[in-house]
C-alpha cells in the first residue's frame, strides 16, 4: 500500500492537538485526560502544560516524559513517539524484552505508522508491487543541509548527558530509505526520525535496534556509546556511493572475470561509537535501484522494469558475515565521524565529481576475528515484459532471469576496502579468509602484540597502481578520489603469509621488533582487475545465449609484489622465511633473519 505525502507542518499540528487533546481521540484511542509527569498522574488543563510526546498503544496511556513511557511498557506493548515530537530520555530507563519503542515518521493513527519507504521491511519489496512510496527522496541525504533538515526531520529523541538507555526489546527509528537513482544507493532520502546522544550517554543494546533514520551526537566524539551484547542485532543503512546500475553490476560479475561492482560505501547514519561484542550482529540495509532497460532479439523487445533491489547484508556476526567474531573475547568497535558539521551528512567532492563519503570510519578489532563474506542479491531481470507472446518468448524470459538475476558472493571476488576506512587490529588475530583489496587511502594497522594471518589473497594499492581506478571509473559524476594516496598496511605486530595464500603490496612498520613470517609456498605477488562489463543476447536453436564481456581499464590488471623497505632504503620482494623490523637512525626498515 502506498502512503500519502505529508508536509512537516502537519506533524507539528498533530503535536499541538496532542497537547490540547482536542479531536485527537482517533490517534490516541482513549479519551482519558490523565497524564503522567515524573510518575505523578495529572489532568491536562491548559495549553501551557507539558506536551504529550508518547503513548502506549495497549494501555492507551499518554506520557509527557519518554523515560517513564519506556519504563512502564510491558512485553507485547508498543510505545510510539508522536510524530513532530522533539523530546528527551532524561533518566535511566529500560525497555523490557518483548516491548517496542517506535519513532515513526508519519501516521494519523496507530495502524498507519510506517517505518521506512517500504512500509514494513520486506526483501521482496520493489516498485512493481506498489510497496514503495511515490514521494521517495532525491539523490541527496535527507539531512544534507539545513534546508533538508527543516523539511524532512520529523521527530528527535535526545538521550541526556550521562543517561543510560537499556534495550532488551525492539527499537525502531523510522526513515524513508532509498533513492530512485544510482547515486547514494541506500541513503536515507526523505522524512526521518533520529536519536541524539549527549555527552557520555549510552545505549546498552541486548535486543534489536533498527535504524532507518539517524543516530547522532550532540557534538563530535562526545564519549557517547552504543554497546551491543550477546544475541543483539543492530540494523543500519549501508550507503554505496558509486553504484553504476543493474547492467554494470550483473555484467562485471556474470562472466569469467568477476569484480565486486561497488568500491565506496559506509554507514553514515550512525555517528556514535558502537561496539559489537561476541554473538552480536550488524546488518546492513541495502537498496540498489535498477532503471528500466530494454533488449531486442529476433524482432522481440524484452523490457525489464525499474525496481528496488533490497537485501540484508551480514556485516558483523558470529558466522556467515563479512567480519566474524569467533570467540568470547572478540569485539569490533566502529566509529563514523563526519568531516564537516555533525548535524549534516554529506558526500565529498573532488573537482567536478562526487568522490564518496565525507566522513572517516574507524574499526578497532579485538580478539579472534575472521574476514569472511556476505551475499548481495540483485534482480536486474526481476520483472520482464515482452512485446509479443509465444513459447519462444518464454525461453527469452527464462534465459534473462537465469543470467541477470545474480547473487554476488563476496568470497568469489576481491572485496574492496575504500579510502575512508581505517582498520586497527588492537589485539588478538585477524584472519583474512577471503580475498580483499585495500584501495588508495585505506589503512590497516596491526598493533604491537596483535597479528594478521593471510589465508587468502590481499592486494595493497599504491598511488600509481590505483590510477586505473581513479581515472577510468567516472560514472554519473561519481569517481574514486585521486587525492587519497596509497593504501597502507602498517605492521607493528606480526603478519603471517600462509602457504597457498597470495599477497601484493608493501608492508611497513612504525616500530622495531615487529615480524613477518613467510611460509614456503606463499605467493608473493597478486593481481586484481578493475574494469567495465556489458552483455548481449544471441539466438540459438530454441536457445537464448547471454554473453558477458569484461573490459579492463587502462593499466589493469593491477599487479603488486609483496615487498618491504630493506636497510638500504630500497624495495625488496619478500621470500620464504622471517623478517624483523629494525630502527636505523630513526627510520624503520626490515631485515631478513
Amino acid at each position: 500500500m502506498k502512503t500519502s505525502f505529508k508536509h512537516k507542518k502537519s506533524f507539528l499540528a498533530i503535536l499541538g492537538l496532542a497537547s490540547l487533546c482536542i479531536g485527537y481521540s482517533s490517534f490516541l484511542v482513549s479519551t482519558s485526560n490523565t497524564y503522567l509527569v515524573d510518575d505523578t498522574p495529572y489532568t491536562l488543563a491548559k495549553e501551557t502544560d507539558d506536551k504529550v510526546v508518547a503513548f502506549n498503544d495497549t494501555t492507551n496511556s499518554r506520557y509527557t516524559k519518554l523515560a517513564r513511557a519506556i519504563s512502564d511498557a510491558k512485553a507485547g506493548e508498543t510505545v510510539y513517539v508522536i510524530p513532530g515530537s522533539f523530546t528527551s530520555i532524561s533518566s535511566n530507563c529500560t525497555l523490557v524484552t518483548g516491548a517496542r519503542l517506535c519513532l515513526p515518521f508519519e501516521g494519523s493513527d496507530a495502524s498507519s505508522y510506517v517505518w521506512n519507504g517500504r512500509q514494513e521491511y520486506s526483501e521482496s519489496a520493489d516498485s512493481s508491487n506498489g510497496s514503495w512510496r511515490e514521494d521517495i527522496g532525491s539523490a541527496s541525504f535527507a539531512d544534507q543541509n539545513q534546508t533538508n533538515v527543516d523539511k524532512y526531520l520529523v521527530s528527535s529523541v535526545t538521550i541526556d548527558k550521562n543517561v543510560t538507555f537499556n534495550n532488551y526489546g525492539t527499537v525502531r527509528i523510522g526513515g524513508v530509505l532509498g533513492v530512485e537513482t544510482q547515486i547514494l544507493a541506500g541513503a536515507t532520502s526523505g522524512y526521518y526520525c533520529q536519536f541524539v546522544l549527549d555527552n557520555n550517554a549510552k545505549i546498552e543494546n541486548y535486543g534489536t535496534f533498527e535504524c532507518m533514520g539517524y543516530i547522532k551526537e550532540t557534538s563530535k566524539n562526545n564519549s557517547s556509546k552504543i554497546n551491543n551484547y550477546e544475541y543483539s542485532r543492530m540494523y543500519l543503512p549501508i550507503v554505496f556511493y558509486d553504484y553504476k546500475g543493474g547492467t554494470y553490476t550483473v555484467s562485471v560479475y556474470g562472466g569469467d572475470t568477476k569484480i565486486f561492482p561497488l568500491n565506496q560505501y559506509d554507514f553514515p547514519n550512525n555517528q556514535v561509537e558502537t561496539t559489537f561484542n561476541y554473538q552480536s550482529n550488524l546488518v546492513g540495509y541495502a537498496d540498489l535501484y535498477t532503471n528500466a532497460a530494454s533488449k531486442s532479439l529476433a524482432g522481440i523487445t524484452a523490457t525489464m522494469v525499474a525496481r528496488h533491489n533490497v537485501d540484508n547484508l551480514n556485516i558483523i556476526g558470529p558466522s556467515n558475515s563479512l567480519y566474524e567474531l569467533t570467540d568470547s573475547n572478540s569485539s569490533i568497535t566502529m566509529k563514523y565521524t563526519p568531516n564537516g558539521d555533525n548535524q549534516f551528512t554529506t558526500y565529498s567532492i573532488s573537482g567536478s565529481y562526487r568522490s564518496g563519503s565525507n566522513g572517516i570510519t574507524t574499526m578497532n578489532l579485538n580478539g579472534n576475528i575472521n574476514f569472511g563474506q556476505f551475499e548481495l542479491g540483485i534482480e536486474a531481470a526481476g520483472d520482464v515484459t515482452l512485446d509479443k507472446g509465444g513459447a519462444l518468448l518464454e525461453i527469452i524470459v527464462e534465459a534473462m532471469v537465469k543470467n541477470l538475476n545474480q547473487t554476488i558472493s563476496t568470497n568469489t571476488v576481491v572485496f574492496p576496502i575504500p579510502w575512508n576506512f581505517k582498520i586497527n587490529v588492537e589485539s588478538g588475530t585477524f584472519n583474512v579468509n577471503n580475498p580483499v583489496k585495500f584501495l588508495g587511502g585505506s589503512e590497516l594497522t596491526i598493533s604491537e602484540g596483535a597479528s594478521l594471518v593471510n589465508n587468502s589473497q590481499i592486494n595493497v594499492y599504491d598511488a600509481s597502481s590505483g590510477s586505473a581506478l581513479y581515472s577510468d571509473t567516472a560514472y554519473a559524476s561519481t569517481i574514486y578520489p585521486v587525492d587519497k594516496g596509497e593504501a597502507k598496511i602498517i605492521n607493528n605486530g606480526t603478519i603471517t603469509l600462509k602457504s597457498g595464500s597470495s599477497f601484493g603490496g608493501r608492508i611497513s612498520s612504525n616500530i622495531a621488533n615487529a615480524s613477518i613470517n613467510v611460509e614456503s609456498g606463499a605467493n608473493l605477488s597478486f593481481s586484481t582487475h578493475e574494469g567495465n562489463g556489458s552483455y548481449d543476447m544471441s539466438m540459438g536453436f530454441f536457445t537464448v545465449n547471454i554473453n558477458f564481456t569484461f573490459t579492463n581499464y587502462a593499466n589493469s590488471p593491477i599487479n603488486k609484489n609483496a615487498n618491504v623497505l630493506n636497510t638500504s632504503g630500497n624495495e625488496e620482494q619478500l621470500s620464504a622465511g622471517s623478517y624483523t623490523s629494525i630502527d636505523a637512525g630513526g627510520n624503520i626498515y626490515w631485515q631478513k633473519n
Side-chain angles (χ1 to χ4, degrees):
M1 182 180 72
K2 295 182 179 179
T3 306
S4 61
F5 178 80
K6 298 187 179 182
H7 193 274
K8 184 178 177 182
K9 288 182 179 178
S10 67
F11 303 126
L12 300 179
I14 289 173
L15 182 61
L17 289 173
S19 65
L20 291 169
C21 199
I22 296 174
Y24 208 47
S25 59
S26 63
F27 180 85
L28 295 175
V29 182
S30 170
T31 58
S32 168
N33 285 339
T34 301
Y35 292 81
L36 295 169
V37 177
D38 294 332
D39 301 352
T40 303
Y42 84 112
T43 300
L44 186 65
K46 55 187 178 180
E47 183 179 358
T48 56
D49 282 344
D50 287 348
K51 293 180 179 179
V52 175
V53 297
F55 76 99
N56 184 307
D57 72 338
T58 300
T59 65
N60 301 328
S61 299
R62 287 152 271 178
Y63 297 85
T64 63
K65 300 296 181 183
L66 185 54
R68 179 58 195 265
I70 293 169
S71 297
D72 279 359
K74 296 178 175 57
E77 298 177 354
T78 300
V79 172
Y80 291 95
V81 174
I82 296 171
S85 298
F86 288 74
T87 187
S88 66
I89 297 175
S90 54
S91 58
N92 295 345
C93 59
T94 298
L95 185 71
V96 300
T97 302
R100 298 202 306 175
L101 170 65
C102 295
L103 279 67
F105 61 78
E106 68 180 23
S108 59
D109 57 52
S111 64
S112 66
Y113 275 79
V114 292
W115 319 108
N116 50 62
R118 310 181 193 117
Q119 304 282 16
E120 296 286 335
Y121 181 79
S122 169
E123 292 189 2
S124 63
D126 59 55
S127 58
S128 66
N129 67 17
S131 63
W132 279 82
R133 300 167 57 89
E134 291 180 329
D135 60 306
I136 202 160
S138 61
S140 65
F141 289 107
D143 65 338
Q144 186 164 294
N145 49 45
Q146 191 60 53
T147 299
N148 274 18
V149 171
D150 291 342
K151 179 179 180 180
Y152 292 123
L153 175 58
V154 174
S155 298
S156 183
V157 172
T158 298
I159 302 181
D160 287 346
K161 184 186 301 184
N162 300 320
V163 168
T164 297
F165 168 41
N166 300 295
N167 174 47
Y168 290 86
T170 298
V171 176
R172 310 182 85 176
I173 303 175
V176 175
L177 186 68
V179 295
E180 296 190 348
T181 178
Q182 274 74 58
I183 300 175
L184 295 183
T188 298
S189 58
Y191 290 127
Y192 70 95
C193 303
Q194 67 182 20
F195 265 30
V196 181
L197 276 65
D198 205 346
N199 298 355
N200 202 40
K202 292 181 182 178
I203 296 174
E204 306 285 3
N205 182 34
Y206 301 86
T208 300
F209 207 99
E210 304 173 6
C211 177
M212 291 203 175
Y214 288 94
I215 306 169
K216 297 189 176 182
E217 302 172 302
T218 54
S219 59
K220 283 188 183 180
N221 305 319
N222 67 356
S223 299
S224 58
K225 291 180 173 57
I226 300 173
N227 294 309
N228 295 280
Y229 296 101
E230 189 174 26
Y231 306 125
S232 66
R233 301 183 74 83
M234 189 170 190
Y235 293 79
L236 292 170
I238 180 170
V239 176
F240 292 106
Y241 297 86
D242 61 348
Y243 173 56
K244 301 177 181 66
T247 296
Y248 174 91
T249 298
V250 299
S251 295
V252 297
Y253 190 77
D256 293 333
T257 300
K258 297 181 184 297
I259 67 171
F260 192 71
L262 305 151
N263 283 323
Q264 299 192 71
Y265 56 88
D266 60 10
F267 303 86
N269 290 59
N270 178 23
Q271 298 176 2
V272 175
E273 180 183 294
T274 301
T275 298
F276 296 89
N277 293 291
Y278 177 57
Q279 291 194 330
S280 64
N281 298 267
L282 169 61
V283 179
Y285 290 126
D287 170 29
L288 303 178
Y289 180 78
T290 53
N291 289 316
S294 296
K295 287 279 186 179
S296 295
L297 181 66
I300 301 166
T301 299
T303 301
M304 297 171 288
V305 303
R307 62 182 291 115
H308 289 271
N309 297 275
V310 298
D311 209 345
N312 286 346
L313 307 184
N314 295 323
I315 306 300
I316 297 175
S319 61
N320 299 317
S321 301
L322 188 61
Y323 296 90
E324 297 175 344
L325 308 172
T326 65
D327 62 33
S328 59
N329 296 317
S330 57
S331 68
I332 295 177
T333 297
M334 295 180 63
K335 177 73 170 71
Y336 168 83
T337 303
N339 291 327
D341 190 328
N342 69 304
Q343 294 183 74
F344 310 120
T345 306
T346 58
Y347 48 82
S348 57
I349 298 291
S350 294
S352 59
Y353 292 102
R354 297 188 185 204
S355 52
S357 173
N358 194 25
I360 299 297
T361 296
T362 58
M363 297 182 66
N364 297 325
L365 281 55
N366 289 277
N368 293 313
I369 295 174
N370 294 338
F371 186 76
Q373 60 94 28
F374 65 76
E375 293 185 343
L376 170 63
I378 184 163
E379 296 189 358
D383 298 281
V384 181
T385 61
L386 301 172
D387 63 350
K388 299 177 182 178
L392 177 60
L393 307 187
E394 293 305 315
I395 295 174
I396 295 176
V397 172
E398 289 176 7
M400 294 181 71
V401 169
K402 177 182 177 180
N403 289 276
L404 301 182
N405 292 350
Q406 305 256 3
T407 298
I408 300 173
S409 298
T410 60
N411 62 358
T412 63
V413 295
V414 185
F415 188 79
I417 306 296
W419 66 267
N420 51 305
F421 272 71
K422 316 300 177 187
I423 302 175
N424 307 301
V425 184
E426 294 187 323
S427 68
T429 301
F430 184 35
N431 298 289
V432 177
N433 293 338
N434 285 288
V436 60
K437 57 186 176 184
F438 290 86
L439 305 182
S442 63
E443 294 182 10
L444 172 65
T445 300
I446 315 301
S447 298
E448 190 172 1
S451 61
L452 178 145
V453 176
N454 180 28
N455 300 297
S456 185
Q457 300 166 326
I458 299 175
N459 205 358
V460 186
Y461 284 26
D462 61 24
S464 62
S465 67
S467 62
L469 186 66
Y470 303 144
S471 63
D472 292 322
T473 58
Y475 179 84
S477 298
T478 300
I479 198 169
Y480 194 90
V482 0
D483 57 350
K484 303 304 179 183
E486 64 183 10
K488 296 178 181 177
I489 289 190
I490 303 169
N491 176 29
N492 298 326
T494 301
I495 288 180
T496 300
L497 306 181
K498 301 291 285 185
S499 178
S501 70
S502 299
F503 188 95
R506 181 188 299 166
I507 299 173
S508 62
S509 183
N510 294 331
I511 65 171
N513 296 317
S515 62
I516 302 172
N517 300 313
V518 182
E519 293 187 358
S520 177
N523 301 305
L524 300 173
S525 65
F526 186 52
S527 296
T528 49
H529 290 268
E530 303 294 344
N532 205 339
S534 61
Y535 72 92
D536 59 48
M537 298 191 301
S538 61
M539 182 71 72
F541 184 71
F542 284 102
T543 62
V544 173
N545 303 311
I546 296 183
N547 308 301
F548 294 98
T549 57
F550 182 89
T551 304
N552 279 297
Y553 291 136
N555 303 320
S556 179
I558 296 171
N559 181 65
K560 303 303 297 179
N561 294 323
N563 64 64
V564 293
L565 291 182
N566 59 26
T567 53
S568 300
N570 298 318
E571 284 193 353
E572 175 182 320
Q573 186 171 359
L574 295 174
S575 58
S578 62
Y579 294 75
T580 301
S581 62
I582 62 171
D583 188 332
N587 296 313
I588 304 297
Y589 302 106
W590 292 92
Q591 180 173 278
K592 191 167 186 179
N593 300 326

